Amino acid sequence: MSGAAVNAPEAQNIFLSNFERLAERRSGKDPSWLRAIRQSAIERFAQLGFPHARMEEWRFTSVAPITKIPFQLAEREDQTVTIDQIRPLMFGEPEGQRLVFVNGHFCPEFSQLSSIPQGMIVTGLEQALERYPDRLESHLARYADIEQQAFAALNTAFIADGAFVYIPPGVVVEAPLHLLFLSTAPGPPLVSHPRNVIIVEPNSRVSIVEDYASVNESPCFTNPVTEVVVKENASIDHYRLVRESLQAFHIATQHTHQGRDARYLSYSLALGGALVRNDIRVVLDGEGSECILNGFYLVKDRQHVDHHTRIDHVTPHSNSREFYKGILDERGRGVFNGRIVVHPGAQKISAHQENKNLLLSKQALVNTNPQLEIHADDVKCSHGATIGQLDADALFYLRTRGIDLEAARQILIYAFARDLISRIEIAPVRTEVERALGAKLPDAPAAESAPIN
Amino acid sequence: MLEINNLHVKVEDKEILKGVSLKINAGEVHGIMGPNGSGKSTLAQVLAGRETYEVISGEVLYRGKNLLAMTPEERAREGIFLAFQYPVEIPGVSNLYFLKTALNAIRRHRGLPELDAMDFLAWVREKMKLVQMDESLLHRPVNDGFSGGEKKRNEILQMAVLEPTLAILDETDSGLDIDALKIVARGVNSLRSDERAILLITHYQRLLDYVVPDRVHVLYDGRIVKSGGRELALELEKRGYGWLEEETNVGVVR
Ligand SMILES: Nc1ncnc2c1ncn2[C@@H]1O[C@H](COP(=O)(O)OP(=O)(O)OP(=O)(O)O)[C@@H](O)[C@H]1O
Ligand SMILES: [Mg+2]
């Protein structure tokens, strides 16, 4: 990695000076409310500093590797990516809807939007701030918690670009929307802070794939924040794919706010990155609202992947189901922390959580930790976590039928993950996961166990 | 076809097989009976290549080759099949995919072209008639949630599909009603030929009414203490195993 090593306070100073540059560059361009948000966020970040291992939420994940690298803020001008580098990362469908971002900057030249429904807005946040400032003001930075979360504060301080998706009331968007975020740092290490806002108005429906990939192996730090608002009786399938290189750092904050009868399906698929942390928070703030949080992490080499999820049942009659699976090989390290908070008065809710892990090597490690905080009495909650290895009896059984050891292992690894994978409704996303898994059961009809959604 | 010479096997420092010798020729069906814990399954699992059992001494020749040097998958490809006493459940893997992968692995080894999905389905349907198994079981995960009888039938189906040269059935008849037993027997009999051999491990002589064995052996405390014709099975059923202790003077107090 290039650049001299630095220490945490120094790293913090680098971010603060990055901020000065941004503030100067954006002065006069942005609305004053946004400048005020940015200013208070950088102040909050300066107070909070980087998280450390003595903090409960960061017990198992050290961000020291990030603080040792002097990341410079990625500018639009640094952009050297060509369409040929992007093509392999696209999902292929000619009619596909796609926004491409390079180091957090929206690139219309690589993006493609054909026939979007009337009234729907899909664009870069920078453009949206110019064209729809009022619509943004009521949502942007209203959800993510910058008081407690240093990285969300850091992102907020650097709000400049990202994706803005607005689905008007009563619209069903058929084609999935692919938001492709590319990171690259051919020169010195670069940081980007994509800021995404997704608003689904009442009775609408959309599928979005938020996808983070690298165009090359280079030291990048991606620090996105995504705010999702799902209004009354609206529905969103939100896939989050991290497939960056083994030199990439990725710390993401996601916050979803649901209204009455709103449905939210989240799929977090963590396949790449050296250090990945996904903070996913869902607030069920409407009767009849329901969320399904599915996740799959595949951790190898010396990768470290941490999922911290939190579901807040604020209103009665809200349901959540959470189902995360991890496969850990070599010296991979996984963390799953699933918190469910049932607020006082939130009766008649049901919340189920499950985390299953498959360890493929002796050096692999996972920490799994369910946390239930229940402040109501008429609730149905359950949780379970398992950590296991490949079943030796099953391996032997397969081998006694003529299937060689390696193939037998692949079959069992795939079998472990298949219920999660088979429910990925967007074929190219499923293919991507299968490719990372290095396994695929070509013509096997689905052999389902317990349904997830 | 199979020659076992003075086989000693231990697991976790406990000797379980204490010198087993057995010879099975092509075309023959042998039965092995014996009380619980006498080592029947251990013998079957060792023949299939289970690594948790440690062979201390002795040899096993299969068609003249050193069986013990082969991996489980090599043994299977060379024609050995074990129907498990306790078939293993494999959630997430469909029975159909499992069978097809197994058959094609074995066909590759034999220099035969692999079967595609269509040809395989035709092949497996034919075999399913033999075991009267419901086709829906093909699309379910291997043995997952199968009843005891369904699991046993599934073992016989696999045997019928893979067409082994030496089939070892470890209590495939246990826990079956008479109709199911007849189906298992039919599966075994259909495999019977001059080029094949079958080893039936059982507690009950009624299976041997339907699959008539050439030889019956009694495994007792890790040794074959008596061998005979099919009448031996009848006698064991009538008298139990106690009398063998005096007669053969194995000198083991259980
Ligand atoms: N993996 C193992 N670890 C420890 N002991 C074992 C293991 N497998 C078998 N044994 C022991 O070895 C002995 C023989 O077991 P085995 O299963 O071969 O008997 P069996 O003749 O098949 O009995 P059954 O008629 O009940 O099936 C038993 O005492 C059993 O407890
Ligand atoms: Mg047994």
Side-chain angles (χ1 to χ4, degrees), chain B residues 11-12 14 16 34-43 52-53 85-86 170-171 203:
Chain B
V11 58
E12 287 169 5
K14 181 179 161 204
I16 297 170
N36 295 128
S38 57
K40 302 183 298 295
S41 293
T42 302
L43 177 62
T52 42
Y53 298 97
Q85 181 175 5
Y86 304 110
D170 190 357
E171 295 199 29
H203 281 290

Side-chain angles (χ1 to χ4, degrees), chain A residues 16 37 60 105 121 124 139 156 175 204 225 243 260 262 270 287 301 315 386 402 404-405 433 438-440 442:
Chain A
L16 297 180
I37 287 174
F60 300 112
H105 298 285
I121 303 169
H139 291 297
T156 303
S204 293
V225 170
R243 46 171 172 156
R260 192 182 180 97
E287 294 196 7
D301 200 72
T315 46
T386 61
D404 65 60
L405 178 60
V433 176
K440 184 170 153 59

Side-chain angles (χ1 to χ4, degrees), chain A residues 39 72 117 269 397 438:
Chain A
Q39 188 59 41
Q72 294 302 314
L269 303 161
Y397 191 68

Side-chain angles (χ1 to χ4, degrees), chain A residues 393 397 399 401-402 418, chain B residues 50 73 77 82 92 155 158:
Chain A
D393 291 334
Y397 191 68
R399 295 176 76 191
R401 287 357 182 198
R418 89 167 295 152
Chain B
R50 183 87 206 212
E73 54 269 34
R77 291 169 189 177
L82 168 63
E155 295 292 289
Q158 292 168 39

Side-chain angles (χ1 to χ4, degrees), chain A residues 220-382:
Chain A
C220 293
F221 170 28
T222 310
N223 178 41
V225 170
T226 301
E227 290 169 301
V228 182
V229 183
V230 197
K231 297 202 184 160
E232 186 173 342
N233 203 36
S235 169
I236 172 170
D237 290 2
H238 183 191
Y239 293 82
R240 183 165 212 298
L241 184 59
V242 177
R243 46 171 172 156
E244 286 172 294
S245 84
L246 291 180
Q247 287 207 43
F249 301 98
H250 186 103
I251 310 269
T253 307
Q254 183 182 313
H255 191 117
T256 298
H257 194 95
Q258 293 182 245
R260 192 182 180 97
D261 296 321
R263 178 188 161 280
Y264 178 62
L265 167 68
S266 156
Y267 246 101
S268 179
L269 303 161
L271 310 175
L275 169 58
V276 175
R277 161 87 174 215
N278 284 321
D279 268 284
I280 295 174
R281 179 157 179 196
V282 178
V283 178
L284 292 163
D285 190 11
E287 294 196 7
S289 57
E290 179 183 61
C291 72
I292 299 161
L293 303 190
N294 290 337
F296 176 64
Y297 41 97
L298 181 65
V299 190
K300 299 192 253 219
D301 200 72
R302 287 171 178 271
Q303 285 177 282
H304 183 112
V305 175
D306 178 345
H307 278 95
H308 265 63
T309 69
R310 172 174 170 158
I311 299 169
D312 282 85
H313 288 264
V314 177
T315 46
H317 297 285
S318 52
N319 299 317
S320 67
R321 277 175 290 160
E322 181 167 15
F323 198 68
Y324 269 68
K325 277 189 174 180
I327 297 177
L328 302 108
D329 200 357
E330 297 167 0
R331 293 177 166 275
R333 174 89 191 258
V335 180
F336 173 82
N337 194 93
R339 193 157 158 202
I340 296 172
V341 183
V342 179
H343 290 233
Q347 308 293 5
K348 308 276 183 206
I349 68 111
S350 91
H352 300 287
Q353 181 191 89
E354 207 175 292
N355 173 231
K356 290 186 174 174
N357 297 281
L358 177 63
L359 298 183
L360 297 177
S361 88
K362 288 205 162 57
Q363 287 83 37
L365 186 65
V366 66
N367 296 95
T368 172
N369 185 29
Q371 292 179 304
L372 302 187
E373 285 173 37
I374 301 174
H375 306 288
D377 46 32
D378 189 6
V379 301
K380 268 200 288 196
C381 286
S382 69

